[in-house]
Amino acid sequence: MLMEDVMIQERPINVTRTSRSRITEVDFDNIAFGEVCADHMFTSDYYDGAWHDEQIIPYGEISFVPSISALHYGQSIFEGMKAYRHDDGHPTLFRPLMNHQRINRSAQRMAMPEIPESLFMSALTRLVSMDRDWIPTRDGASLYVRPFMFATEEYVGIRPATHFRFIIFTTPVSKYYSDPVKVLASEYYVRAFRGGTGTAKAAGNYGASMLPMMKAREIGYDQMLWLDGRNFDIIQEIGTMNVFFVIGDTIVTPTLANEDILDGVTRDSCIQLLRDEGHRLEEREVTITEVHRAYQEGNLREAFGTGTAATVAPITTIGYRGEDMILPLGRIADWLKNTLHGIKRGRIKDQYGWVYKVN
Ligand SMILES: *Cc1c(COP(=O)(O)O)cnc(C)c1O
């Protein structure tokens, strides 16, 4: 049985509908990512060792006292996935059980409570189903779903919190942002190292990457291409995406074994699609030295990043030691993007059980 076929047990959720939907105020063809949120959100609180008060309420302000520990010590994690509508109007999610498993791995690393599958999946499907009219139907558009959890204990002392809130809200995305990206390989800033939090989707990882990203942008790049912090040679990933290189006739992507990159759902899906298409694909250590040499020898055919937000984004520039490696828009990235998109929209047969129908 495919993992995605597992039946999800429903949990009782209190529902309060908004009395005034904002949907007619939204220009779905023209919204920046994350600008407007859909009408409702899910919330649940963890205390006394269990999740309580599961509810769907109108999207809006939440209030806390200033001492809640997430704000000071950073126990805060998140997920991201997209809901689509198939041509028959049916809402779907892409491999949501992988996001569920990953939020629990992040929770474990950050000493936060796990979320039972029944809670995560009923919250997600009820919310997406209620706000299904917010899922844009235009090609390339989708509803971005943001589940997250943070420590809400009112206590300034340093110890793992005992109170948490889990929230899911959604925000419509009018188009792909898979514009080509220019990345900068830095030999100074570090994102992650084995034993750290690089494998967790932890808010703090992003907080720490803002300054390097800002500096990269000042000199014309979009994102960092992170290298290992010991020798600054082993390639890890891009700020928000996993990374793939086409070297000769082999596709190479950094291994998860070093425990310093995020285990992306898009990465995993791309690996499977590429292998099934007959490509030679290697998950292994790949160094910037190897990539640079391949570039000089004319063997670096293309490079691309993978992630839920952009799906597959071609990399057109890699800055390294004051030089730019300039790459063409590649055939493989383009094929992957179209194939993934086709599967998500129900236009290409989903032989993997990846598309999850929301009832
Ligand atoms: C979320 C994320 C990714 C992409 O993961 P997907 O599941 O494919 O969206 C890659 N790297 C980092 C650091 C991330 O936070």
Side-chain angles (χ1 to χ4, degrees), residues 244-300:
F244 290 71
F245 301 93
V246 184
I247 300 176
D249 58 5
T250 304
I251 305 168
V252 185
T253 193
T255 172
L256 300 175
N258 285 350
E259 297 176 30
D260 56 6
I261 62 171
L262 200 89
D263 182 359
V265 177
T266 320
R267 172 189 182 276
D268 186 81
S269 309
C270 288
I271 288 174
Q272 189 138 358
L273 288 172
L274 290 167
R275 286 198 169 133
D276 290 355
E277 188 66 9
H279 289 285
R280 186 189 320 173
L281 186 138
E282 296 174 357
E283 287 181 81
R284 61 164 168 82
E285 265 184 11
V286 48
T287 60
I288 190 79
T289 306
E290 177 186 357
V291 166
H292 189 238
R293 192 184 319 119
Y295 177 74
Q296 286 176 321
E297 291 168 354
N299 254 338
L300 185 61

Side-chain angles (χ1 to χ4, degrees), residues 279 302 329-336:
H279 289 285
E302 59 178 288
L329 295 177
R331 208 166 39 77
I332 292 177
D334 197 53
W335 176 81
L336 267 177

Side-chain angles (χ1 to χ4, degrees), residues 82 139-141 173-179 309-311 337-338 341:
K82 281 177 172 174
D139 238 21
V173 185
S174 63
K175 60 173 194 283
Y176 298 123
Y177 82 93
S178 40
D179 299 336
T311 334
K337 190 173 83 171
N338 292 332
H341 183 62

Side-chain angles (χ1 to χ4, degrees), residues 181-191 212-213 216 221-228 232-245 254 286-289 291-292 300 303-305 315 317-320 325 327:
V181 288
K182 296 179 171 187
V183 298
L184 176 66
S186 158
E187 290 179 277
Y188 179 75
Y189 290 109
V190 187
R191 175 184 177 273
M213 184 167 87
Y221 299 91
D222 304 302
Q223 301 266 355
M224 302 296 290
L225 177 65
W226 297 108
L227 305 177
D228 76 283
F232 293 97
D233 198 23
I234 303 167
I235 294 171
Q236 296 177 336
E237 59 181 316
I238 304 174
T240 56
M241 290 186 282
N242 295 111
V243 66
F244 290 71
F245 301 93
V286 48
T287 60
I288 190 79
T289 306
V291 166
H292 189 238
L300 185 61
F304 52 89
I315 296 169
T317 302
I318 304 172
Y320 178 60
M325 300 179 228
L327 298 172

Side-chain angles (χ1 to χ4, degrees), residues 188-202:
Y188 179 75
Y189 290 109
V190 187
R191 175 184 177 273
F193 28 85
R194 190 196 297 260
T197 58
T199 56
K201 222 169 163 73

